[in-house]
Amino acid sequence: MKGHAVVIAGGGPTGLMLAGELALAGVDVAIVERRANQDLAGARAGGLHARSLEVLDQRGIAGPFLAEGQTVPRCGFAQVRLDLGDMPTRHPYSLGLWQNRIERLLADWVEGLGVVFHRPLSVTGFTQDEAGVTVGTSDGASLWAAYLVGCDGGRSTVRKLAGIAFAGSEATASHLIAEVEMREAPPLGVHQTARGTYSFGKRDYEVRDGEVVFKEGGPIRVMVPEARVASGGEPTLAELRAALVAACGTDFGVHSPTWLSRFTDAARQATAYRDRRVLLAGDAAHVHSPVGGQGLNTGVQDAVNLGWKLAQVVKGISPDSLLDSYQAERHPVGATVLRLAQAGAALLRTDDATAALRDTLAPLLVMDGPRQRLAGELSGLGIRYDFGDGHPLLGRRMPDLDLVTADGPQRVYSLLHEAQAVLLELGDARIATPPVGPWVKRVRAHCDGPWLLPELGAVPPPTAVLIRPDGYVAWVGVGNACGLDAALRRWCGVGLA
């Protein structure tokens, strides 16, 4: 029986990101993926939010994504454009980049890190005990792992076999989404009629002066409502034709679908993200309407939250209880994503009452306060984990400040490329700090600031911060090291190895 420290079910964006995080930490990790290679039919999801770009920047791999994608200085909520230009980040924009390219770039990264792939296979069963997990695969063989992580989508086999409930709301509407050819040119853009909201776009586009401009030719991306709610089974071209005729009066001569799928406004979340040695991430843990484009991004950020914790537990640096913080931190984030997706989907309904509500809210949402709050939630920049009371930085993402160190100028995020925790001591003041262990990088630097956070603006500069490998601030010192020892033990396992 082949064995690995961690087996990941599913090689989509979440599984790939998690595998990369574990491999960076020197953990033996393997992905069980049903596809024979990383090819993906159709372009799929459409981009990356600001915090996801920061996460890639923290690992030093943002460059290829930025080179291929196109920046748009906003995010959207129920057709309301929320400007990101004043957000305190090096990436105050959304990045238009199709999922098939996102996956390919992530796969290139993890392949370079030596991650093992078992293809084309799927997880068919597992048993777990105190020592590990025996994972059954579709070829009749088995793999052993210390931990199994289900990144296998909304219909997750791992979640179902673990007996983890998937609580939430049933679908009230369904849409077909596809990448197709059409003999007749459809009206590009988003359209709202009494029949519902439908849209036509192009796979190939460019951004000019912040606006999306579709290129001539190429496949058409279509989204169209279904007359009746459907939630099961793979849709057919005949169903797409019927839905187009019902919504638009014609099917535009649709043919040759590259990709055809169905989504609903159902919102469900796993009641637990962990069952002993089995964990869930991405769509396996939460599904919702694609309104707002948060699904892929939330999964990638799940992976970055989980990866370093799982690595420290596997390597004996931290106790198994560290994994409980994954549920404590990411479940509330997932619940917020579901709330936003439900609200956004509801506001796209085409009845007169919803239109009146949408028109009333639109001018309020673009006011500075509400805009920054909502944009912070949608982009991921406003996430704060509950580490208790303290300095405003505590529990929030560390700003990517310019530093002056003994080795020359550096950015904060360049210190996180190896996915290690960083104890950053600032200025000339020297505070008495405990030993930090070889797995915590200790850096002394000067920083002129300012220290800016989304929505909050400028906050008092600290004299030291402990930054977790995922870029979130675990401890803040202002003139002394009070509480640092406890934070090191909690997050870095100092003294436990």
Side-chain angles (χ1 to χ4, degrees):
M1 186 186 301
K2 295 178 181 178
H4 303 279
V6 179
V7 166
I8 298 170
T14 302
L16 291 169
M17 192 73 211
L18 178 59
E21 292 289 290
L22 290 164
L24 271 179
V27 171
D28 175 18
V29 55
I31 295 175
V32 177
E33 168 55 38
R34 59 182 176 78
R35 291 172 289 172
N37 53 52
Q38 210 58 44
D39 293 345
L40 188 65
R44 306 294 175 107
L48 295 167
H49 285 310
R51 180 56 188 158
S52 296
L53 292 169
E54 287 189 338
V55 162
L56 298 173
D57 210 348
Q58 289 172 183
R59 298 300 179 252
I61 60 172
F65 296 84
L66 294 170
E68 286 204 26
Q70 302 191 62
T71 60
V72 181
R74 61 178 181 268
C75 59
F77 178 74
Q79 296 187 356
V80 178
R81 295 181 174 188
L82 303 173
D83 181 32
L84 296 171
D86 60 352
M87 297 296 275
T89 173
R90 293 184 192 269
H91 304 288
Y93 42 75
S94 302
L95 185 74
L97 183 63
W98 296 119
Q99 180 178 338
N100 58 348
R101 291 307 305 156
I102 293 171
E103 284 198 22
R104 182 64 264 167
L105 292 172
L106 285 173
D108 290 345
W109 175 51
V110 303
E111 287 166 3
L113 292 171
V115 172
V116 173
F117 285 81
H118 296 290
R119 304 178 185 266
L121 298 172
S122 57
V123 171
T124 56
F126 66 82
T127 57
Q128 62 172 315
D129 56 31
E130 293 181 358
V133 188
T134 301
V135 183
T137 52
S138 51
D139 61 351
S142 296
L143 299 169
W144 184 91
Y147 290 89
L148 168 67
V149 186
C151 300
D152 50 345
R155 298 188 179 99
S156 171
T157 297
V158 173
R159 185 191 66 240
K160 292 174 183 176
L161 292 175
I164 297 174
F166 209 35
S169 61
E170 298 287 348
T172 64
S174 60
H175 287 72
L176 297 178
I177 186 169
E179 189 175 298
V180 297
E181 301 288 344
M182 288 183 165
R183 296 187 181 90
E184 304 168 28
L188 300 180
V190 180
H191 309 277
Q192 287 188 310
T193 70
R195 300 184 186 94
T197 300
Y198 63 92
S199 68
F200 298 98
K202 294 286 189 74
R203 184 192 64 189
D204 302 320
Y205 67 91
E206 59 181 300
V207 177
R208 301 177 191 164
D209 298 324
E211 299 296 326
V212 174
V213 179
F214 295 115
K215 294 184 178 181
E216 293 294 327
I220 302 291
R221 284 178 62 90
V222 56
M223 181 195 75
V224 63
E226 296 187 274
R228 296 179 181 176
V229 178
S231 58
E234 294 298 323
T236 64
L237 182 58
E239 288 177 305
L240 177 60
R241 286 178 173 141
L244 284 167
V245 170
C248 311
T250 175
D251 65 8
F252 300 99
V254 64
H255 65 97
S256 305
T258 303
W259 169 60
L260 177 58
S261 187
R262 170 182 285 120
F263 72 85
T264 75
D265 61 350
R268 294 191 175 278
Q269 186 176 23
T271 55
Y273 282 16
R274 179 191 182 197
D275 173 32
R276 294 167 289 165
R277 290 181 173 270
V278 176
L279 300 106
L280 305 174
D283 289 352
H286 39 73
V287 296
H288 50 81
S289 162
V291 171
Q294 290 182 277
L296 183 154
N297 290 271
T298 305
V300 166
Q301 292 170 48
D302 284 346
V304 174
N305 183 284
L306 175 60
W308 65 274
K309 297 173 181 177
L310 191 51
Q312 287 185 185
V313 171
V314 166
K315 296 169 74 173
I317 295 170
S318 293
D320 179 81
S321 59
L322 178 63
L323 296 177
D324 294 336
S325 68
Y326 172 60
Q327 157 92 17
E329 293 171 7
R330 294 306 296 177
H331 198 277
V333 171
T336 296
V337 169
L338 261 65
R339 171 176 56 79
L340 290 170
Q342 287 177 297
L347 286 171
L348 290 177
R349 293 172 185 159
T350 55
D351 60 276
D352 291 343
T354 303
L357 177 61
R358 187 170 56 246
D359 293 345
T360 301
L361 287 177
L364 302 178
L365 294 179
V366 296
M367 296 172 66
D368 279 350
R371 174 184 58 83
Q372 291 184 8
R373 173 67 178 272
L374 186 55
E377 290 186 329
L378 289 166
S379 67
L381 295 173
I383 291 172
R384 179 184 181 272
Y385 298 136
D386 186 6
F387 297 166
D389 297 332
H391 191 282
L393 282 165
L394 190 63
R396 290 186 168 89
R397 51 174 274 290
M398 177 70 183
D400 186 20
L401 301 172
D402 291 308
L403 306 173
V404 178
T405 73
D407 297 323
Q410 293 196 60
R411 293 192 293 127
V412 167
Y413 287 2
S414 69
L415 303 176
L416 296 168
H417 286 182
E418 290 79 32
Q420 278 185 283
V422 175
L423 177 60
L424 182 60
E425 298 175 280
L426 297 154
D428 296 321
R430 293 186 177 272
I431 58 177
T433 58
V436 296
W439 44 86
V440 179
K441 185 184 298 185
R442 192 168 188 163
V443 178
R444 176 167 289 278
H446 288 267
C447 175
D448 293 331
W451 293 71
L452 300 174
L453 294 177
E455 191 179 0
L456 297 181
V459 300
T463 53
V465 289
L466 177 63
I467 309 167
R468 302 191 320 184
D470 58 359
Y472 286 84
V473 177
W475 170 84
V476 181
V478 182
N480 60 63
C482 181
L484 176 57
D485 187 65
L488 287 167
R489 290 178 178 275
R490 179 181 182 186
W491 300 116
C492 306
V494 172
L496 296 177

